[in-house]
Structure formats: C-alpha cells, structure tokens
Amino acid sequence: MLSTKLLPRVRTITTLAPTCTSIVPLSSSLLLDSYCQPNPQLNIYSSNRTIDDFVKSGHLNSAKKLFDEMPARDVVTYNLLISGYGKFGHPKQALYLYDEMVSHGIKESASTFSSVLSVCSNAGFYTEGIQIHCRVLSLGFGLNLYIGSPLVDLYMRMGPSVRALDLFDELPERNLATWNLMLRVFCELSRPDEVLRMYNKMKAEGVEPSGLSFCYMVRGCSIGMLLDEGKQLHCQVIKLGWVDVNIFVANALVDFYSACGSLIDAKKSFDFIPVDDVISWNSIVSIYADYDLIFDALELFFRMQLCRKRPSIRSFVEFLNFASRTGNVYFGKQIHGYVKKLGFDHGSVHVQSALTDMYGKCNVIESSVAVFESVPGRSLECCNSLMTSLLHSGNIEDAVEMFGFMVDEGIGLDEVTLSTTLKALSVSASANLGSCRLLHCCAIKSGFESNIAVSCSLMDAYSRCGHIELSHQVFEKIPSPNVVCFTSIMNGYSRNGMGREALDMLEVMIQRGLIPDKVTFLCVLAGCNHSGMVKEGQLVFNSMKSVYGIDAGRQHYSCMIDMLGRAGILDKAEELLQQTPGGGDCVMWSSLLRSCRVHGNEIIGRRVANILMELEPVDFAVYSQVSNFYSEIGEFEVSMQIRETALARKLTRDIGHSLIEVNSCH
C-alpha cells in the first residue's frame, strides 16, 4: 500500500494533470481513485486567484470572461468581480452580479455586503442600498462591524439623519476606521460642528486619532473657518508629532490657515514642511493666487522651479482662475503657453475646463470654443465651463443649446449644468413656462431638486415667467433654506410687484436667525418700490446701517431715490441723491427728472436737467428726456434747442424690442 504521506502530493499532481494515468498496481487503484478525480473547489480557488489578479490590474473584461467560463462559482468569485466593478466605476454591473448571485442561491458573506453597500453609497443608489440593508438584517449581519461601517456611510450620504447616527451608536465596537468614516462624511457634508463633536466623542471613548483623523478635522475647521478651534488642533498635532511624520497633515494646516484668511500663518506652516515636498509648494502657490497676490504667487512659482519641483495642475488652475476673475487675458495666455509646454492642455480635464472658463470670462469666446473643441473627449466639467462662458459673453441661445447638446451626447448633468441653463433660460427670448417645467423635471429625475443653486435658479426662472406661486412651491420644498434661498424668493416677489410678501419673508428669515445681506435688502427695497410702500422702505433702508451695520451701496440709494420720487417726495429724493457715495449717476438723476415731470415740480426739475446734461453730453436719451421736460413746462424754444443740439451732434437712439408670449408661442 502506498504511504499516506504521499497522498497530498499525489492529489496535487493529479489535480493539475489534464488526465490521470495508472502509476500504481491495480490493487492500489481504489485507494487513489478519489484523488485522481478533478477537485471543483481547487479549480474555483485557482480561477478566483486569476480573477483577483485581473481585477487588481484593471483588466475587468478578462476577469468577466474567465468568470463566464467557470463551470462553478462561489461567494468569493462574485465578491471579487463585484468589488472590481465598484472600484472602477461600474455600479450597475456590480448590482447586476449581486442580483445574479442571490438568484443562484449563493449566500452572501460580510465582504459581499460591504462591497455592495459601498457601491450603492458611491453611486447614489440609496433605494437599493436600503433594500440590501433589509437583507443584512434578515441574514443576521446587523451587528457586524465590517458591514456596519458601510451602512453608516450609506445613510450619512443620504443626509445626516437620526437613523444614520443610531446605526453608528448601535455598533458593538467602533474602531478607528469607523470614526474616520464619520469624520469624512461630515466633512463632505460641510458640517464642521459635527466633525468637532465626533472628535470629542472619539477622545471620550479612548480612541486615539490618526493622521487621517487630523486631516479630516483640520479640513472641517477650514470649511467652517473656525480659526480658534483649528489652532487648538494645530497644537495637538504638534504635541503628537504628526506635522513631522505626516505630510498630508502639514499641508492640511496650510490650506486651513489660507481658508481662514490668515496668510501669515499659512506661510509659517509652509516653511516647516520639508523643501522636497512638491504638494506643499503647489499648495502655497495656489493659495497666493487665490487671494489675488499674484506677484507673491509668481515668485514662489519661480522658486519652486529653481528647486526642480514640477508645477501641478492645481497651480495652473488657480493662475487661470485669477486671470478669469481679473479679466487679464494676456496673463491667461502666458499661462496657457506654459500649460502647453508641459503637456497639461490635453492631459487634464481641470486645466482644459479652466482654460475654457478663462477665455470666456475674458470675453474671448472664440478662443474658449476653440479650446473646448480641441479636447478629444467631452467631459461634464468642460461642457459646464463652455456653457457658463457662453452665458457670461451674452450668447444666451447658444448656452441653452449647449444643454441640448449635453443631453444628446449622453454627457450627463449636474447642479452646475441645471443652474446655468435655468439662468440662461430666464433671460432668453425663448423662455416660457414649458421650458422651465422641463428643466424642473430634469432636476427631479437627476436628484438635484434639493440643491440650493438649482432651487434658487428655478425660483428665479418661474418668477420671471410670472408664475410666482411655482417659485413659492420650490422654496417650500427646500429643507433648510439659507440666506440665498430667502433672497431668491424675495426677488421673485419684488419682480412681480408683491412687496408686502417680500417684506413678510424678510421677517420670517430674521426670525429663523439668518442675517440679511446687501442683496437681500436690495430685493426688499425693490419690492417696496414697486408696491408703493414708502414708509416700510424707509424703515428697511435705515435698518441696514443702524441694526445690521451694512453700508448702503449705489443700488440701494438708486432704489430709494426712485421710490421717493414715485411718491412725490422729491425734496428728500434730491437730498438723498446728493448723499450717494461717489455722487449720483445718470440713472439716478434720470429717475428723479422723470418723477419731477410726473409730479410737475419745475424747480427741482430744472436743477436735475442741468446736472443730467453735464453728466451725459453724448447720450441721445438724456437729450430727449430733458427736451420733453422743458416742453412740458412750456419752454418750447429751449426744448427745440436741445433737440437741434442732439441732431447736430448726430446722436441716435437705440431701437427697443418687445416680445410677448401667447399660447406658448412668441
């Protein structure tokens, strides 16, 4: 009889051999018979290792082909491919495989649920994620820490709800990874208060934070611009030695101080970072450029290259953004040349997008379109940049058509796309209620209805179409409206002559603890003006400085002058106009002259007419208005002289256009 010590070796050899030949006497054949049969489990194990190698190298097609050829599969096989599809951005295929796995009766493991829940979280498949949570509970995995973390992540991404926090509290054990997950999610949700609360709770339970933990916490302080709390964290970071051993923590501190506007501390933090760290160099360069300290940024940029550090995409994007903000196309072209030299013009979507935006904001729309067309692939970011450029340069119809192009090409939509299209549509000649409803449906279908920017753009578009009740419905659906949301609905009320409603909304906003800004006051004043609410308007105007410490701007003065003029309080309107910072402009004096004509005030009208002629000696509209004023008070000779002067100077008036909508047709 063959020694049993040889059996494992025989089993291995015969399993790997394509066929089994007799290598022992017939009397021993029964003993070896079972070892000569192929072992399905070993075949699955071998295939799983190959699939794992394919997935790690990114060859998903090869992995799927081997998967399809396997006669039998186990839970590990499915786990590998589901994880691979999720990792490389194919969430639908991952969920399809999971469904196939369950339908074949293969029971999930903790790893399965972890992978599938992560796929649902990252792809926004929240309904499917909740269904999988039910299956987790039915199979008894509810208290599994390996599954608990992705479950908390899923519910947190849906919005920090009581359910998500309850899941976190119900975990039998919370390790460092789980705490970091909570810190990361609250950072992504821009909730710095919760980040710090979690940190205090984490310390109370005796969990020591890692470098990653401090990165999230410092990032949270950056989001909330919590300078004092961030400095306390900085002290702890130094005490624990993370600045010296973790370059990401050190760079997070640089970004934190820059976000809080403390550039001196940002520079000090940068100086403590080793000179060979290219991330910190690009970080400090981009920070100075972001604060428009362009000469300091360029000096650091030059020093960085002397130290043989390659500039990153972030530095170029900030330089291009600076050119966009300042309208300095010559500086933007120089950066474009450097970008081409280093090969970033076709290798980075962010740079391509920034170039498109820069030329558009500098009103060189031809170059903006040329950059966009030179990009081999049409990314969402580049399309959004071109759309905003078209809107900025006044090509309204082209901006609206860009939305259709993105839909036809299957590029996709995001909140920037929808918000920009709604803005373009609201000022477009082709705007109508049907178009607004269509975009509203797109926002609902794509899950951006609750986005602040999209909601405000919807309110503006509906109010411009005269459907303020729809704007109000959009406002009511916003879970936590901020100052911008209140300002948008007030602007809609004011635009439609509903000053009382705008004033009531201001009171509601203040009762909720929100502080109005300059734009908010301007919208309320416009509503009071259109509704003839002079006393209320004066109270609002006076409260800007006395209650909120906000200095009124030229637009606020212009609105008040027009309001007082319409009410016939011309002496106060003239007095206020003379108090305007920087002096009144043509629009203000023209408004006051119009009020003098309406109310027949000849004395103030003469003074205003003389000032207006001095301000705009080449504007035909001014000559026409002043001529009409003198004609109305009976001084026809003066009126004719003014008209003859305008004709002698060959001044012309632009022809206006009107457009109305009848039965959805213009």
Side-chain angles (χ1 to χ4, degrees):
M1 180 177 290
L2 192 64
S3 172
T4 56
K5 293 182 179 180
L6 297 176
L7 292 183
R9 182 179 300 175
V10 173
R11 181 176 182 179
T12 303
I13 295 172
T14 56
T15 303
L16 297 177
T19 58
C20 179
T21 56
S22 178
I23 57 175
V24 293
L26 187 59
S27 59
S28 302
S29 62
L30 291 177
L31 179 65
L32 295 175
D33 193 37
S34 62
Y35 293 97
C36 293
Q37 299 298 324
N39 190 317
Q41 292 300 320
L42 283 177
N43 287 336
I44 293 175
Y45 174 76
S46 176
S47 298
N48 286 348
R49 292 192 61 178
T50 306
I51 289 176
D52 186 36
D53 292 337
F54 281 139
V55 169
K56 287 179 179 178
S57 59
H59 298 104
L60 290 181
N61 291 334
S62 300
K64 185 62 168 63
K65 182 180 179 182
L66 178 57
F67 175 87
D68 293 334
E69 293 173 352
M70 292 175 65
R73 311 177 187 104
D74 63 3
V75 64
V76 177
T77 315
Y78 280 96
N79 287 350
L80 289 170
L81 211 52
I82 289 171
S83 176
Y85 276 128
K87 178 181 177 182
F88 289 99
H90 304 284
K92 291 184 178 179
Q93 290 90 329
L95 289 184
Y96 174 80
L97 275 176
Y98 172 70
D99 181 66
E100 177 185 303
M101 170 184 172
V102 175
S103 63
H104 288 174
I106 300 176
K107 187 177 179 181
E108 303 96 312
S109 65
S111 179
T112 311
F113 285 122
S114 177
S115 297
V116 177
L117 287 168
S118 296
V119 168
C120 293
S121 298
N122 296 329
F125 296 155
Y126 301 131
T127 302
E128 292 81 357
I130 294 173
Q131 293 173 350
I132 293 169
H133 185 192
C134 294
R135 187 162 177 83
V136 166
L137 295 175
S138 66
L139 294 179
F141 285 101
L143 298 179
N144 188 293
L145 178 62
Y146 193 61
I147 301 173
S149 294
L151 267 175
V152 172
D153 186 28
L154 172 72
Y155 282 96
M156 289 296 288
R157 286 176 183 269
M158 294 167 61
S161 62
V162 176
R163 180 58 182 148
L165 296 176
D166 286 345
L167 278 172
F168 176 75
D169 292 334
E170 290 170 2
L171 290 175
E173 179 186 351
R174 291 187 286 269
N175 57 17
L176 180 60
T178 310
W179 284 104
N180 284 342
L181 168 66
M182 296 296 289
L183 294 173
R184 175 180 63 81
V185 172
F186 278 122
C187 269
E188 292 175 353
L189 294 171
S190 299
R191 298 285 300 274
D193 53 334
E194 290 296 331
V195 172
L196 295 178
R197 188 180 70 83
M198 279 291 159
Y199 172 56
N200 292 329
K201 194 174 179 180
M202 177 181 177
K203 288 196 301 182
E205 294 194 9
V207 179
E208 289 295 328
S210 63
L212 182 61
S213 308
F214 279 110
C215 283
Y216 289 139
M217 289 182 288
V218 172
R219 174 60 181 159
C221 292
S222 301
I223 294 170
M225 291 187 288
L226 306 174
L227 183 60
D228 293 336
E229 292 82 351
K231 285 185 174 180
Q232 292 175 11
L233 282 174
H234 192 173
C235 293
Q236 295 184 41
V237 164
I238 294 174
K239 183 178 179 180
L240 296 173
W242 284 110
V243 174
D244 299 326
V245 300
N246 193 311
I247 198 68
F248 298 104
V249 174
N251 283 314
L253 287 168
V254 175
D255 291 334
F256 157 69
Y257 283 116
S258 67
C260 294
S262 181
L263 295 184
I264 295 176
D265 290 320
K267 185 63 167 60
K268 287 180 179 178
S269 299
F270 166 75
D271 291 336
F272 277 103
I273 299 175
V275 71
D276 59 343
D277 179 59
V278 69
I279 298 176
S280 59
W281 274 103
N282 285 292
S283 179
I284 196 68
V285 167
S286 62
I287 287 167
Y288 274 96
D290 187 46
Y291 276 89
D292 293 344
L293 300 171
I294 193 63
F295 294 108
D296 296 302
L298 288 173
E299 180 184 354
L300 286 167
F301 187 71
F302 179 70
R303 284 173 52 195
M304 177 175 69
Q305 294 174 84
L306 286 179
C307 295
R308 300 185 181 278
K309 303 302 174 188
R310 180 181 172 86
S312 72
I313 292 170
R314 181 181 178 185
S315 297
F316 287 121
V317 168
E318 288 299 338
F319 280 135
L320 291 169
N321 288 342
F322 168 80
S324 299
R325 289 192 301 272
T326 58
N328 191 339
V329 69
Y330 300 106
F331 178 72
K333 285 182 177 180
Q334 290 178 323
I335 297 299
H336 190 180
Y338 209 136
V339 163
K340 280 187 173 182
K341 182 179 179 181
L342 295 181
F344 283 141
D345 55 329
H346 290 93
S348 169
V349 172
H350 302 296
V351 173
Q352 293 160 355
S353 176
L355 281 168
T356 304
D357 181 72
M358 182 272 295
Y359 282 116
K361 295 293 173 58
C362 294
N363 293 316
V364 190
I365 194 63
E366 297 83 4
S367 298
S368 181
V369 174
V371 171
F372 176 79
E373 291 180 344
S374 68
V375 178
R378 297 287 186 263
S379 68
L380 177 60
E381 188 177 351
C382 290
C383 288
N384 284 341
S385 293
L386 182 60
M387 182 184 290
T388 54
S389 297
L390 291 169
L391 179 60
H392 177 80
S393 60
N395 296 280
I396 309 301
E397 302 302 327
D398 291 331
V400 176
E401 286 185 13
M402 189 69 192
F403 175 81
F405 168 79
M406 295 171 69
V407 173
D408 293 339
E409 295 292 322
I411 295 171
L413 310 170
D414 64 1
E415 64 274 19
V416 177
T417 313
L418 292 167
S419 178
T420 306
T421 307
L422 284 164
K423 289 177 183 176
L425 196 62
S426 63
V427 297
S428 170
S430 59
N432 55 53
L433 179 60
S435 302
C436 295
R437 285 187 179 276
L438 177 63
L439 281 170
H440 195 172
C441 292
C442 290
I444 295 172
K445 186 177 180 180
S446 55
F448 292 109
E449 184 188 18
S450 59
N451 181 270
I452 296 296
V454 175
S455 297
C456 292
S457 298
L458 275 170
M459 286 188 280
D460 185 61
Y462 278 134
S463 66
R464 285 179 182 272
C465 293
H467 294 274
I468 188 63
E469 73 283 354
L470 296 178
S471 296
H472 185 74
Q473 290 178 14
V474 173
F475 177 80
E476 289 295 326
K477 291 182 179 179
I478 302 175
S480 299
N482 58 14
V483 175
V484 178
C485 300
F486 274 98
T487 302
S488 295
I489 191 64
M490 290 179 207
N491 188 36
Y493 283 132
S494 300
R495 183 181 288 118
N496 288 272
M498 303 170 69
R500 174 58 61 187
E501 287 78 1
L503 198 59
D504 292 341
M505 194 60 71
L506 176 64
E507 293 179 1
V508 173
M509 172 182 166
I510 295 171
Q511 288 172 1
R512 295 193 183 184
L514 298 174
I515 300 176
D517 57 15
K518 285 188 174 183
V519 181
T520 310
F521 281 114
L522 182 61
C523 293
V524 176
L525 288 173
C528 293
N529 183 17
H530 295 157
S531 301
M533 300 165 58
V534 181
K535 291 184 179 180
E536 293 84 348
Q538 287 178 312
L539 288 173
V540 171
F541 183 80
N542 293 331
S543 68
M544 288 180 63
K545 182 66 176 178
S546 61
V547 179
Y548 298 99
I550 298 175
D551 293 322
R554 297 176 66 85
Q555 290 178 309
H556 302 91
Y557 277 94
S558 179
C559 192
M560 281 301 300
I561 292 163
D562 189 54
M563 184 192 305
L564 293 170
R566 288 173 185 265
I569 313 174
L570 300 176
D571 51 344
K572 287 189 176 181
E574 184 183 20
E575 180 183 352
L576 189 63
L577 200 157
Q578 292 172 346
Q579 296 174 1
T580 303
D585 57 19
C586 178
V587 176
M588 298 179 188
W589 289 105
S590 179
S591 172
L592 184 56
L593 181 59
R594 183 172 58 251
S595 298
C596 291
R597 291 173 59 189
V598 171
H599 295 283
N601 192 317
E602 180 180 338
I603 299 175
I604 297 179
R606 288 177 180 276
R607 291 198 297 265
V608 174
N610 292 332
I611 294 174
L612 196 55
M613 291 284 288
E614 294 175 1
L615 281 175
E616 292 292 342
V618 294
D619 190 341
F620 182 85
V622 169
Y623 279 84
S624 177
Q625 187 181 14
V626 173
S627 174
N628 290 337
F629 165 72
Y630 281 109
S631 176
E632 289 169 1
I633 63 175
E635 298 190 12
F636 300 106
E637 292 185 3
V638 177
S639 175
M640 288 301 298
Q641 289 176 1
I642 293 173
R643 287 189 176 273
E644 288 173 0
T645 302
L647 292 173
R649 295 183 178 182
K650 297 181 180 181
L651 302 178
T652 58
R653 176 167 52 186
D654 294 332
I655 300 175
H657 298 82
S658 297
L659 189 69
I660 62 172
E661 179 184 347
V662 179
N663 296 328
S664 299
C665 295
H666 288 92

